[in-house]
Amino acid sequence: MRLIFKLSLVSFFLALCVTTGFAQPQPKTAQTPVPAETSSGVIIFPEIEGWTKGEITRYPTVELGYSLPYRSEGGVVVTVYAYPGNNRTIPDSLDGIVKKEFEKAKSDIFAVGKQGVYKDVKEIKSETLVLGGSGGKIRALHALFTFSIQGRDVNSEIYLFPYQNRFIKIRATRPVSLGKEADTELAELLAELDSFLVKPGK
């Protein structure tokens, strides 16, 4: 099976967490989740106040990497993916292969829409921003989508940037009905992740 297809499956299955919380269906090839504290070769992402951090899931090849879910008290669902894809090195730039990976991540959302899982998929904007906002340091590619899933209208975002020869992709999804409070929760999480990732030795 081609790597691009495997990554699409991972994105598809884990995106379903918006309606199922952390009870996410796993790809058939995925290993049993293991706690981040006992995993080797992974970034030990932090506990963040107001968010429940789930268990890290490592996939069976280096190319697929691993993922980690967060869920806010208000119901925002975030999944952090870290993976190199089929790349020996990933430059510290938002151009080239990083841009291509970002475009692929966007196309995956439209592909799930064509399969009928997401309804009325719309790309609202695509831009470059700083992950942590005005106080942050990590530049990331960002896209915002709206669609409905199982009758619920949601906002869903992609943040993608290079980090230590990995792609870091953050998928953040929340019901539109949660309003501005959910936007604030997400901004606070992103600021914490930005701060954590820029610390030396991480």
Side-chain angles (χ1 to χ4, degrees):
M1 183 181 293
R2 295 176 60 195
L3 175 61
I4 189 169
F5 181 62
K6 289 182 180 178
L7 288 174
S8 296
L9 284 177
V10 172
S11 299
F12 166 69
F13 284 121
L14 293 177
L16 293 179
C17 65
V18 65
T19 55
T20 59
F22 291 152
Q24 302 174 84
Q26 297 297 322
K28 292 181 180 179
T29 55
Q31 297 175 345
T32 302
V34 294
E37 291 77 10
T38 63
S39 299
S40 60
V42 302
I43 301 166
I44 310 300
F45 284 95
E47 300 286 345
I48 297 175
E49 184 177 357
W51 293 78
T52 299
K53 184 176 80 168
E55 292 184 331
I56 199 166
T57 296
R58 296 190 70 174
Y59 301 107
T61 67
V62 172
E63 290 82 8
L64 293 175
Y66 51 92
S67 64
L68 176 75
Y70 285 93
R71 186 182 182 92
S72 78
E73 294 173 353
V76 182
V77 175
V78 172
T79 304
V80 182
Y81 303 86
Y83 59 98
N86 193 26
N87 302 285
R88 296 184 64 181
T89 61
I90 297 175
D92 187 17
S93 167
L94 298 182
D95 298 320
I97 62 174
V98 175
K99 178 69 171 177
K100 289 180 181 178
E101 186 65 21
F102 178 64
E103 294 300 327
K104 177 190 170 299
K106 293 199 296 181
S107 68
D108 286 345
I109 292 180
F110 284 112
V112 176
K114 289 180 180 178
Q115 293 167 4
V117 179
Y118 300 159
K119 305 290 186 182
D120 195 25
V121 177
K122 294 185 177 68
E123 181 179 347
I124 304 303
K125 61 182 174 181
S126 184
E127 62 186 346
T128 300
L129 49 64
V130 177
L131 189 68
S134 60
K137 295 183 181 298
I138 294 178
R139 294 177 66 249
L141 298 172
H142 169 250
L144 170 64
F145 292 83
T146 61
F147 52 83
S148 64
I149 181 169
Q150 296 185 1
R152 302 173 73 188
D153 293 332
V154 301
N155 292 319
S156 189
E157 298 179 58
I158 300 168
Y159 300 83
L160 191 139
F161 54 92
Y163 184 79
Q164 296 182 352
N165 279 327
R166 303 174 176 93
F167 298 114
I168 301 294
K169 181 174 70 176
I170 301 172
R171 279 292 309 272
T173 304
R174 68 271 192 201
V176 172
S177 60
L178 294 181
K180 294 296 183 183
E181 184 175 345
D183 296 340
T184 300
E185 286 182 331
L186 176 58
E188 291 173 352
L189 173 75
L190 296 175
E192 290 287 343
L193 292 177
D194 186 303
S195 177
F196 168 77
L197 290 170
V198 298
K199 291 178 182 178
K202 296 297 182 183

